[in-house]
Amino acid sequence: FQPLADCMIREGCEVAISNVSGTGSVLDNVQSLEKEIRSISRCFHGKKVILIGHSKGGVDSAATLALKPEIKSMVRGLITVQSPYAGAPLAEEALFDWQLQDVLKGWVENYLRG
């Protein structure tokens, strides 16, 4: 995210990068994002923020606006990039296919060191 932030700063934008977990639950991230949005709004003297969420970050950001309507007045807009609103077909298929689960587990362990 840093290259995007650097580019935006060069263009004169004020930027803050969230510390929300990419693997946390949506509800936990809603709570964290609400706090961050409030803090950022105060830090930038009440300016409205534009949220940019990638992948699950977009889903978490949209959920925050839906579940915490009182912070909408602090948000100017929401941009989502590659957010899986309709789910992730491969992940959903893996819920029911034990062979696919094994393949994905091996891939994660070997390639993502997880």
Side-chain angles (χ1 to χ4, degrees), residues 15-82:
V15 176
I17 297 176
S18 174
N19 291 315
V20 171
S21 170
T23 58
S25 75
V26 172
L27 292 178
D28 286 345
N29 287 351
V30 163
Q31 300 302 320
S32 297
L33 278 170
E34 177 191 18
K35 290 176 187 172
E36 287 188 2
I37 291 167
R38 289 181 186 282
S39 175
I40 291 166
S41 181
R42 278 192 306 274
C43 181
F44 292 117
H45 310 291
K47 285 186 181 176
K48 291 186 175 192
V49 301
I50 297 174
L51 304 173
I52 302 174
H54 174 256
S55 191
K56 185 175 175 298
V59 174
D60 292 342
S61 297
T64 301
L65 294 173
L67 297 173
K68 301 291 184 175
E70 64 276 10
I71 65 162
K72 287 182 182 180
S73 64
M74 298 174 204
V75 177
R76 182 178 213 172
L78 169 63
I79 300 168
T80 63
V81 181
Q82 296 177 319

